[in-house]
Amino acid sequence: MKATRPYPIVTITRKGQRSIESGHPWVYAGEVLSCPESAENGCVVDVCSDKGAWLGAGLLSRESLIRVRLLSRNPNDSFDDNFWLRRFQYAWAYRKTVLDAADLLCCRVVFGEADGLPGLTVDRFGDILVAQTLSFGMEQRKARLFPLLLKALREDGQDIRAIYERNDEALRNKEGLEHSKGFFSLPGEAAPIKTITQITENGVKYAVDFENGQKTGFFLDQKYNRRAVARLAKGKRVLDCFTHTGSFALNAALGGAEKVTAVDVSESAVEMARRNAVLNSLESRMEFLCADVFDLLPKLVEEKRWEWDFIILDPPAFTKSRRTADQAAKGYKEINYRAMKLLPRGGYLATCSCSHFMETHRFQGVIAAAARDAGVQLKQIEERQQAPDHPILWGVPETDYLKFFIFQVV
């Protein structure tokens, strides 16, 4: 390590060293051997092994179990404006490569660690960017970073009108950060008044409430999975469970489904789904129901309501920690079992989990157990994951979270 580096030094255990050398960008509090008391929360620190070998530089977070988030393993990097601008340019160039041109208008522009920007999430909805800063170091730097993000996009000819902050995420609690939301103040630019915008994805129009909707207002990670469902939906009678604002249901209807029933426990979500159906002139082939799927599916089975030949299960994450994964597995098994009992032979099932802690092999086991109990066999059509604007960075399992399967029940 260069002796002239200006950053405080955090020394870590050999376990932490092995993790970094395998590609993981986090140093946990339990892996820290020493950290200068003078090192300010959010500052850049050098991370070194117990033998003094330089391992990388990152942002210190004193209140978080994730004590350091690495920014770079290149000792020649200096964390000036050019460094951050390059990171945003690289992230945008990647999206331009892996996405269809039309999908660039509504996509995830920054996916935290996978883009070398730990603790920062940015989604694009047309001319609005919705940002979440989920680490202390990123929160500290956002006034510097957001103008650079705009510069990277606008220099490429992208029309971006404003940045809206959705900093009401529970993860901020672990960083000692308060919750807030609102338009980010850009020098010389007036913020919009409305917080509902319209996007088009896969040919489907959506009203997106980026102030009050879940996460940043719309789940962009399923865009190509929704397209896969639309391809199979022609002539089918579709039951879309956990519909949220109707995205899978609308794709199925636009794909030519004979009838679509969209279900969600949230009345406000169901109302937004209805609005989206009208927006797409699809309301004549769609019906909407506010109900708890865990109550509804057993009731439909008991009543022998064999009305659907394609069921979609897109539940929220049933677990956000490893300790609750067993309970989550029971929930996934229950809804998949009920769906399989409700489907006729030859029917279709699309099912997914968006929890990182429900690993692929375990989710597969849950589905297999549900099929055994339901007395059916599954013919796999596709295994899919999140869209490529949510890149999976090998060595960082937290970036690999969405499991999506499509089956025929035989």
Side-chain angles (χ1 to χ4, degrees), residues 2 43 47 53 59 68 124 143 145 159 200 230 269-270 309 332 347 349 371:
K2 296 181 180 179
C43 74
V47 177
L59 299 176
V68 181
R124 179 184 184 180
L145 299 185
D159 179 21
T200 301
V270 169
D309 51 14
Y332 286 119
L349 173 67

Side-chain angles (χ1 to χ4, degrees), residues 19 22-26 28 111 113-114 322 354-360 385-386 390-403:
S19 177
S22 72
H24 206 288
W26 294 348
Y28 289 98
F111 188 41
E113 281 73 359
R322 205 167 299 281
C354 61
S355 173
H356 153 67
F357 295 101
M358 183 56 53
E359 294 96 341
T360 299
Q385 44 198 180
Q386 65 242 39
H390 297 63
I392 297 169
L393 189 63
W394 281 35
V396 189
E398 292 79 4
T399 62
D400 183 4
Y401 67 95
L402 182 60
K403 282 72 62 178

Side-chain angles (χ1 to χ4, degrees), residues 333 337 340 363-375 378:
K333 182 181 176 184
Y337 166 76
M340 293 174 200
F363 188 54
Q364 289 173 317
V366 166
I367 297 170
R372 284 195 300 271
D373 288 356
L378 300 175

Side-chain angles (χ1 to χ4, degrees), residues 2-286:
K2 296 181 180 179
T4 56
R5 289 179 66 84
Y7 309 117
I9 295 175
V10 172
T11 304
I12 65 171
T13 63
R14 294 186 182 182
K15 178 184 176 184
Q17 178 181 353
R18 288 193 298 271
S19 177
I20 287 177
E21 290 175 343
S22 72
H24 206 288
W26 294 348
V27 175
Y28 289 98
E31 296 168 343
V32 173
L33 294 173
S34 66
C35 177
E37 291 186 8
S38 59
E40 295 183 0
N41 197 9
C43 74
V44 175
V45 295
D46 278 326
V47 177
C48 294
S49 72
D50 61 345
K51 302 296 185 183
W54 186 83
L55 301 172
L59 299 176
L60 180 67
S61 187
R62 285 199 170 274
E63 293 194 31
S64 175
L65 287 176
I66 305 172
R67 193 53 47 91
V68 181
R69 290 173 167 82
L70 285 195
L71 290 170
S72 175
R73 296 192 64 199
N74 181 350
N76 296 314
D77 274 334
S78 59
F79 305 105
D80 55 12
D81 285 357
N82 287 331
F83 170 85
W84 298 107
L85 180 61
R86 284 195 305 273
R87 285 286 162 96
F88 290 130
Q89 289 171 333
Y90 293 159
W92 183 243
Y94 166 82
R95 270 84 187 165
K96 289 177 67 178
T97 300
V98 302
L99 294 180
D100 299 338
D103 290 328
L104 292 171
L105 294 174
C106 49
C107 69
R108 177 149 293 183
V109 177
V110 175
F111 188 41
E113 281 73 359
D115 287 307
L117 294 156
L120 179 63
T121 298
V122 182
D123 285 341
R124 179 184 184 180
F125 303 117
D127 59 4
I128 301 291
L129 299 180
V130 182
Q132 292 183 318
T133 45
L134 304 176
S135 69
F136 194 94
M138 283 297 179
E139 176 73 14
Q140 198 177 53
R141 287 164 177 77
K142 68 183 182 183
R144 177 185 180 189
L145 299 185
F146 287 171
L148 293 172
L149 171 59
L150 285 178
K151 177 182 171 75
L153 293 174
R154 287 173 172 172
E155 285 184 348
D156 188 55
Q158 304 303 313
D159 179 21
I160 305 297
R161 189 161 51 104
I163 298 176
Y164 190 86
E165 295 188 87
R166 276 297 301 268
N167 286 331
D168 51 354
E169 173 66 45
L171 285 174
R172 284 174 63 90
N173 300 339
K174 299 179 180 181
E175 297 287 319
L177 295 171
E178 296 181 353
H179 289 198
S180 64
K181 56 184 178 179
F183 284 103
F184 179 77
S185 179
L186 295 166
E189 300 187 30
I193 298 174
K194 294 181 179 180
T195 56
I196 295 180
T197 190
Q198 184 175 308
I199 64 169
T200 301
E201 180 195 85
N202 299 341
V204 180
K205 299 173 186 175
Y206 300 93
V208 175
D209 182 350
F210 53 83
E211 178 183 17
N212 301 304
Q214 291 187 31
K215 300 292 185 179
T216 61
F218 186 79
F219 295 110
L220 294 163
D221 51 3
Q222 295 269 31
K223 62 166 64 71
Y224 295 145
N225 298 337
R226 291 190 272 261
R227 188 179 297 180
V229 161
R231 285 199 301 268
L232 296 177
K234 187 174 182 179
K236 304 290 190 302
R237 294 157 293 143
V238 179
L239 176 63
D240 179 25
C241 300
F242 310 98
T243 195
H244 189 225
T245 55
S247 55
F248 273 107
L250 290 160
N251 274 264
L254 194 66
E258 176 186 320
K259 171 189 173 185
V260 179
T261 304
V263 182
D264 201 277
V265 72
S266 165
E267 183 59 59
S268 61
V270 169
E271 181 55 35
M272 183 64 81
R274 285 195 188 98
R275 290 174 57 186
N276 286 331
V278 172
L279 189 63
N280 290 276
S281 301
L282 294 170
E283 65 271 26
S284 64
R285 284 186 286 121
M286 301 184 71

